[in-house]
Amino acid sequence: MAGRTTAKAGQGDGVRRLVIVESPSKIAKIASYLGDGYDVEASVGHIRDLPQPSQLPEEMKKGPFGKFAVNVEDRFEPYYVVDADKKKKVAELRRLLKDADELLLATDGDREGEAIAWHLVQALEPKVPYKRMVFYEITPEAIQRALGETRPIDDRLVDAQETRRILDRLYGYELSPVLWRKVGAGLSAGRVQSVATRLVVERERERMAFRTASYWDLTGTFAPSGQDGVDQRSAFGARLVAVDGARVATGRDFADTGELRTKGVVHLDEAAATALAEGLDGADFAVRSVEEKPYSRKPAAPFITSSLQQEGARKLRMTARQTMRTAQSLYEGGYITYMRTDSTTLSEQALTAARSQARELYGPEFVPERPRTYASKSKNAQEAHEAIRPAGEVFRTPAQVAGELSGDQFRLYDLIWKRTVASQMQDARGTTATVKLGATASDGRTAEFSASGTVITFRGFLAAYEEGRDESRFGEDAEDSGGDRRLPQLAAGQPLAVQALRTDGHETSPPPRYTEASLVKALEERSIGRPSTYAATIATIQDRGYVRTKGSALVPTWLAFAVIRLLEEHFPRLVDYDFTAAMENDLDAISRGEEDRVRWLTRFYFGDVGPGSDGAVAGGGTEGPDEGTAGMTMDGVKGLADDLGAIDAREISTVEIGEGIVLRVGRYGPYLEATGEDGTPLKASVPDDIAPDELTPARALELLTTQSDGDRVLGQDPVSGRTIVARTGRYGPYVTELIEDEEPAPAAPTADGKPAKRTAKKAVKPKPRTGSLFKDMQLEAVTLEQALQLLSLPRVVGVDPESGDEVTAQNGRYGPYLKKGTDSRSLASEDQLFTVTLEEALAIYAQPKTRRGQTVKPPLKELGPDPESGQPMVVKEGRFGPYVTDGATNATLRKDDDPETITPERGAELLAEKRAKGPAPKKRAAAKKTTAAKTTAKKAAAPRKTAAKKTASAAADS
């Protein structure tokens, strides 16, 4: 239902207006600010998109739209349809529009929002005036201001979004089939996701090639010595930095091969460090120099999308997706401004609010005379209005909103508030002192030690906020954090007493793996993709099986190695960092009206020698991402999968491990291959928990030795005569039976129990039985008897005399359980699979239903009444995970929704989305589809804007 309210007076002109926003959770608040005379409803995101080619009408599948749902031969005309789950929503919006005198399209203010507004017009075909209503925060002032500043739909932004959508369709549909044929079925390639995966793979390659080097140094604890003796309270630490004037080697002086790459440095090993320490025992240490210089540090700029995702990961341990979802809920609740932005600009009212709050909370001396301004790197930052900040003309402090927000919402709001206020505060100031001290060893060598300390004399913005940092590879290179480390008052020539002198051994470290925060930073630094899509990109490469997480680190799978190698060797331009960044600049130029979408798409798809091209490189400029692709050669992506003869699928999926061992990416996962000393081929599966850089030749040899082609022969099954083996698979150790290739599957018995007669058709090879080892079993010790027991599962326990259902004992993904019909109950231990009796099983079923051995729990959380149905909303644990329900509608929680911290607004939004989708669409007869398709197909031949409008209408009516 549309949101209506009479809380405030509207414009009072008797005109009824329909306001369409994107998210249902915005409705109530915006409606209350607009007052009477306005109906507010949500589109629930996009309503139209390019269909899958298989979803096209039959007669269109053979036409110009058949491959991409885009006519690449005629100005890249797209064919849009209303999404199947949005037809009910479109019909609802049309009904509301009949009673409206004006349509206000209040979707988000970025390219996606502009495109949604345009698609709404094409689908709804309004006969009343329509305008764009754009706001970047949900406050009374912002909504009223947006009402007075309506505008037409910006076709340039729509063109930019449409070009991006078509580009991604062309890229994915041309390139993905190559992966299907040469690597594995169901894989996908994407303009940004493939480049992001390449970054993660390249970092892992660096770690695999890395060779550790060891080095030693000395650290000492010293105290000033004077006429009054040794001042123990002023003791400080210092590290050896030079011997006889030559700098002592540290981690940065070694190459990743383990070799010393810096000339003229002293490489100390354990023996040399120990000898030097012994030589300095009893030596006279003194201060050689003291240097002081001013220290200052500026605050970070207010948050943009990418920096918010990075800090969310560093400080709050949130994924990029969690951060953006939480930020979305804060924006829709009226707590922060729009969270998808590349602009670091703050409005005049925001500058005033931040400076006033800093002055009030910390004192006037903490606020500079003039407001701070920060330059935006993006040429298109003007699209997004301003930085992410607390909403309103006066910021609410975290304490003021604490009672209104969930845990994650409060933590993120607190972060945004602190960053915004700190951005308008004074620099942190202080002094940094560096002390050099030394002595002469008994063998005549001079040793120089160094210590540095920073004293913050004025904390400035640090009183409010300090930016987080990613892991540093070289600890000694880490930037000063701005915290105090005081050194005592020292003077050149002053003697020092040695309290302790220690030798310390170190090993060089490989480059740290990417985390979500550092990957976002790397993508942003290379200008790859848009920050608003980074969360989705990182989620996609994980969902596709290219990357998994290990703690907070992103670890590429061997599948990713195969895919990236294929792209690098055969389609290098498409995963080139500069080329991808240049394409992003071109798309920005389209949004500014500086580039023609049709010309650009023609060149991307057909290449520099395509239709309408004179064969020359367009623009002829200098190649580089800042200039776009104008100065780059464009081969075109048309027909990438037409001739794949040059791609050796086996070679692409092979990685050399060393010592004659290779890894191959197979249909069922990665496995190792080698040849034994007797010439016997060896194979072994690679467990998923072994990261690529951990698979050394020694570890690979261990897997090959223990698995021995994956098989440890246990003996023969006395019933079937088949060989029973134990092996390690992708998901752990298990037992199975070996079936000869020529052995046919047993014929199914007839109704009278006699074997069925065999037909002339070739029998299907039977599937071998398998059984995972119990947790207390070892692969090397499992016996034939135990294996036969495992292979006997599932075991029939008996028949329930009341229902007549068979009760079986089975071992599943989550442990041992009983099954009766569709009712499953957990068993306490794996041993019970073979010992549980029918009586014991029925006793278990007589108990209340449990979840994985736990007692029945009450609702996980109560959220209060649903604003649409009025019924109480509760979060429950379901078979497929937690879900929110109002008793009539159930909506599964998303991956990043925490059942304990989910808000009522988020629960209502999920239920609204579920209702908007409606019941699953029923299949229709083929004849009906053909009839509807003919009308649609005819309308699709008109120019793009008109065609899209008519196509959408036809699809919505079908």
Side-chain angles (χ1 to χ4, degrees):
M1 294 177 61
R4 298 187 182 183
T5 180
T6 57
K8 293 185 179 181
Q11 293 184 356
D13 53 9
V15 176
R16 185 144 217 94
R17 296 174 175 85
L18 173 62
V19 181
I20 301 180
V21 296
E22 285 186 37
S23 172
S25 60
K26 297 179 183 178
I27 293 176
K29 193 172 285 289
I30 292 177
S32 69
Y33 295 154
L34 290 173
D36 198 19
Y38 292 87
D39 295 331
V40 184
E41 187 51 76
S43 67
V44 195
H46 279 276
I47 60 166
R48 300 200 316 170
D49 197 6
L50 300 173
Q52 300 290 332
S54 61
Q55 298 171 332
L56 288 168
E58 285 300 323
E59 60 269 29
M60 291 191 70
K61 291 180 179 179
K62 297 181 181 179
F65 293 93
K67 187 173 183 179
F68 306 111
V70 174
N71 186 353
V72 298
E73 304 292 342
D74 185 9
R75 299 181 60 79
F76 291 86
E77 176 191 346
Y79 178 87
Y80 291 112
V81 297
V82 174
D83 296 334
D85 60 354
K86 292 297 179 68
K87 291 183 179 180
K88 181 180 177 182
K89 172 58 67 176
V90 170
E92 180 184 353
L93 293 174
R94 282 179 174 168
R95 286 195 300 270
L96 290 170
L97 190 57
K98 289 180 181 179
D99 299 327
D101 302 306
E102 187 177 41
L103 173 62
L104 296 177
L105 301 159
T107 50
D108 292 340
D110 55 10
R111 297 176 190 176
E112 290 296 320
E114 205 73 20
I116 292 173
W118 181 81
H119 281 290
L120 282 167
V121 170
Q122 306 308 308
L124 299 179
E125 299 181 289
K127 295 179 174 57
V128 297
Y130 61 87
K131 301 175 183 177
R132 277 287 276 137
M133 173 182 168
V134 181
F135 47 85
Y136 297 94
E137 56 183 319
I138 302 177
T139 61
E141 298 81 10
I143 298 301
Q144 292 302 320
R145 187 164 51 248
L147 275 177
E149 299 174 355
T150 55
R151 61 169 174 79
I153 291 175
D154 190 332
D155 285 339
R156 296 179 306 174
L157 295 182
V158 176
D159 279 348
Q161 188 278 339
E162 184 174 82
T163 304
R164 188 183 300 272
R165 182 69 185 94
I166 294 173
L167 166 64
D168 290 339
R169 173 60 64 96
L170 299 177
Y171 187 112
Y173 276 39
E174 286 287 4
L175 202 52
S176 294
V178 179
L179 304 183
W180 302 343
R181 299 181 194 178
K182 295 299 181 178
V183 182
L187 300 178
S188 70
R191 176 175 55 90
V192 179
Q193 77 174 54
S194 296
V195 175
T197 304
R198 183 189 175 199
L199 281 169
V200 180
V201 169
E202 282 192 336
R203 179 58 55 87
E204 196 71 11
R205 286 173 180 162
E206 294 173 6
R207 292 175 63 88
M208 293 169 69
F210 177 79
R211 296 296 177 266
T212 300
S214 62
Y215 61 96
W216 287 68
D217 62 11
L218 274 68
T219 57
T221 303
F222 305 90
S225 180
Q227 295 180 350
D228 298 330
V230 177
D231 183 1
Q232 302 288 355
R233 295 172 300 175
S234 300
F236 63 96
R239 184 174 63 86
L240 178 71
V241 294
V243 176
D244 282 340
R247 185 169 61 82
V248 174
T250 61
R252 67 163 76 184
D253 296 308
F254 293 88
D256 285 352
T257 58
E259 300 173 346
L260 188 66
R261 64 183 176 186
T262 305
K263 296 181 179 179
V265 298
V266 177
H267 179 197
L268 296 179
D269 55 18
E270 182 178 10
T274 302
L276 182 59
E278 292 174 350
L280 291 172
D281 186 20
D284 295 328
F285 278 84
V287 176
R288 293 185 172 177
S289 66
V290 178
E291 179 184 359
E292 286 192 0
K293 58 182 180 180
Y295 168 90
S296 67
R297 185 174 165 192
K298 297 182 181 296
F303 280 130
I304 59 175
T305 302
S306 58
S307 58
L308 180 65
Q309 292 173 8
Q310 292 173 56
E311 283 292 84
R314 294 174 186 137
K315 289 182 175 291
L316 307 182
R317 298 292 184 263
M318 287 184 177
T319 64
R321 183 187 284 177
Q322 283 176 312
T323 298
M324 293 307 294
R325 180 166 291 166
T326 305
Q328 175 106 21
S329 68
L330 288 173
Y331 164 65
E332 293 173 351
Y335 294 99
I336 64 171
T337 54
Y338 192 53
M339 66 287 160
R340 294 186 181 92
T341 173
D342 298 337
S343 174
T344 54
T345 302
L346 291 177
S347 65
E348 288 298 325
Q349 70 174 34
L351 289 172
T352 301
R355 289 168 59 82
S356 297
Q357 207 151 57
R359 188 179 296 109
E360 177 184 340
L361 295 175
Y362 302 103
E365 69 276 12
F366 282 82
V367 181
E369 289 186 13
R370 296 181 180 178
R372 287 184 181 273
T373 57
Y374 298 87
S376 294
K377 298 179 181 179
S378 172
K379 295 178 182 179
N380 283 54
Q382 67 269 19
E383 287 180 20
H385 186 60
E386 60 176 316
I388 304 169
R389 60 166 176 84
E393 296 181 357
V394 176
F395 298 163
R396 287 177 286 178
T397 65
Q400 290 172 321
V401 299
E404 305 171 19
L405 302 178
S406 68
D408 283 349
Q409 287 178 323
F410 175 77
R411 293 193 301 151
L412 193 63
Y413 182 85
D414 181 66
L415 199 69
I416 293 168
W417 178 85
K418 288 179 178 176
R419 176 89 164 215
T420 306
V421 172
S423 72
Q424 293 303 311
M425 294 175 66
Q426 290 277 19
D427 293 352
R429 297 189 296 271
T431 58
T432 296
T434 301
V435 177
K436 296 291 180 65
L437 52 133
T440 302
S442 58
D443 59 4
R445 290 184 294 172
T446 59
E448 184 175 81
F449 289 69
S450 178
S452 294
T454 298
V455 178
I456 304 296
T457 56
F458 177 71
R459 291 190 59 77
F461 75 92
L462 291 175
Y465 180 84
E466 182 174 358
E467 188 176 29
R469 288 179 174 78
D470 296 317
E471 178 185 354
S472 173
R473 183 176 182 184
F474 304 113
E476 66 271 14
D477 295 338
E479 185 182 341
D480 185 83
S481 65
D484 281 357
R485 188 200 172 196
R486 294 179 179 271
L487 292 176
Q489 289 290 334
L490 298 170
Q494 183 175 356
L496 298 169
V498 182
Q499 293 186 335
L501 204 58
R502 299 171 298 277
T503 58
D504 295 318
H506 309 276
E507 287 190 343
T508 53
S509 301
R513 288 193 178 98
Y514 284 110
T515 61
E516 288 202 10
S518 58
L519 182 58
V520 166
K521 183 178 180 180
L523 291 169
E524 184 185 29
E525 288 176 344
R526 290 172 170 82
S527 299
I528 294 170
R530 290 186 68 80
S532 60
T533 66
Y534 289 161
T537 297
I538 294 173
T540 296
I541 63 178
Q542 294 183 66
D543 295 342
R544 294 281 189 266
Y546 296 144
V547 172
R548 61 184 178 86
T549 56
K550 190 174 185 180
S552 62
L554 298 176
V555 184
T557 62
W558 290 110
L559 177 64
F561 275 73
V563 168
I564 294 304
R565 180 178 176 185
L566 184 152
L567 296 177
E568 287 176 333
E569 293 184 5
H570 297 278
F571 311 103
R573 179 68 93 183
L574 296 182
V575 287
D576 180 78
Y577 300 135
D578 286 347
F579 179 74
T580 306
M583 283 198 295
E584 202 64 48
N585 282 328
D586 288 345
L587 292 169
D588 287 345
I590 292 172
S591 73
R592 298 191 298 269
E594 300 169 5
E595 177 65 83
D596 179 71
R597 61 175 290 278
V598 175
R599 188 184 78 85
W600 192 89
L601 282 170
T602 300
R603 186 165 171 255
F604 173 79
Y605 186 67
F606 293 103
D608 292 321
V609 294
S613 170
D614 58 4
V617 177
T622 304
E623 182 169 330
D626 292 339
E627 291 76 30
T629 60
M632 299 181 175
T633 302
M634 192 83 83
D635 297 326
V637 298
K638 182 177 184 292
L640 289 180
D642 291 349
D643 183 13
L644 304 180
I647 301 178
D648 185 337
R650 184 175 177 85
E651 180 62 24
I652 284 295
S653 298
T654 300
V655 179
E656 295 284 344
I657 301 300
E659 299 182 11
I661 304 173
V662 297
L663 178 140
R664 302 193 194 281
V665 180
R667 181 179 179 184
Y668 301 107
Y671 63 95
L672 297 168
E673 274 190 349
T675 302
E677 295 180 359
D678 57 355
T680 304
L682 303 176
K683 287 185 180 180
S685 298
V686 179
D688 284 351
D689 60 353
I690 298 179
D693 74 327
E694 297 169 357
L695 191 61
T696 61
R699 185 75 176 95
L701 184 60
E702 178 186 344
L703 290 173
L704 287 166
T705 303
T706 56
Q707 293 187 30
S708 301
D709 193 26
D711 297 347
R712 174 176 166 254
V713 178
L714 303 178
Q716 287 188 322
D717 184 344
V719 177
S720 66
R722 295 170 182 166
T723 301
I724 307 300
V725 299
R727 58 174 57 153
T728 298
R730 186 178 180 186
Y731 302 107
Y734 66 99
V735 294
T736 188
E737 57 186 350
L738 302 181
I739 299 177
E740 300 298 331
D741 290 341
E742 65 274 8
E743 183 179 340
T750 59
D752 58 3
K754 297 180 180 180
K757 293 182 179 180
R758 297 193 179 276
T759 63
K761 293 183 179 180
K762 185 177 179 180
V764 179
K765 181 179 177 181
K767 186 177 180 180
R769 295 175 295 162
T770 61
S772 297
L773 266 61
F774 288 174
K775 294 178 181 178
D776 59 352
M777 292 180 178
Q778 299 295 323
L779 183 69
E780 300 79 9
V782 66
T783 65
L784 176 61
E785 181 182 3
Q786 290 174 319
L788 292 174
Q789 275 191 313
L790 294 173
L791 294 176
S792 70
L793 297 173
R795 179 176 73 93
V796 177
V797 178
V799 176
D800 184 345
E802 291 186 8
S803 65
D805 291 330
E806 192 175 68
V807 181
T808 59
Q810 306 187 31
N811 203 13
R813 180 181 179 185
Y814 300 108
Y817 65 98
L818 294 169
K819 186 171 184 180
K820 182 180 68 170
T822 58
D823 193 357
S824 300
R825 303 297 176 93
S826 297
L827 290 172
S829 69
E830 291 172 318
D831 290 337
Q832 283 186 285
L833 289 169
F834 304 118
T835 62
V836 65
T837 65
L838 179 60
E839 292 75 16
E840 291 170 337
L842 294 176
I844 292 174
Y845 275 103
Q847 301 298 318
K849 178 74 173 178
T850 60
R851 301 287 185 189
R852 299 181 194 170
Q854 301 296 320
T855 57
V856 178
K857 295 180 179 179
L860 302 178
K861 189 173 184 180
E862 297 180 357
L863 302 179
D866 178 58
E868 184 163 330
S869 69
Q871 298 301 311
M873 298 183 295
V874 295
V875 180
K876 293 184 176 182
E877 182 67 44
R879 182 181 179 188
F880 302 105
Y883 65 97
V884 61
T885 180
D886 66 348
T889 304
N890 298 338
T892 302
L893 267 60
R894 304 294 191 266
K895 182 179 179 181
D896 296 320
D897 286 323
D898 187 343
E900 296 182 1
T901 61
I902 187 172
T903 63
E905 292 79 11
R906 176 61 176 161
E909 179 182 6
L910 291 171
L911 290 174
E913 289 177 358
K914 183 68 173 180
R915 293 189 194 100
K917 290 182 179 180
K922 296 180 180 179
K923 293 185 178 180
R924 300 181 179 179
K928 291 183 179 180
K929 286 187 178 179
T930 305
T931 303
K934 288 181 179 178
T935 304
T936 308
K938 291 177 182 178
K939 293 180 179 179
R944 177 179 74 88
K945 302 290 183 184
T946 305
K949 175 179 178 180
K950 292 182 178 178
T951 304
S953 301
D957 292 335
S958 63

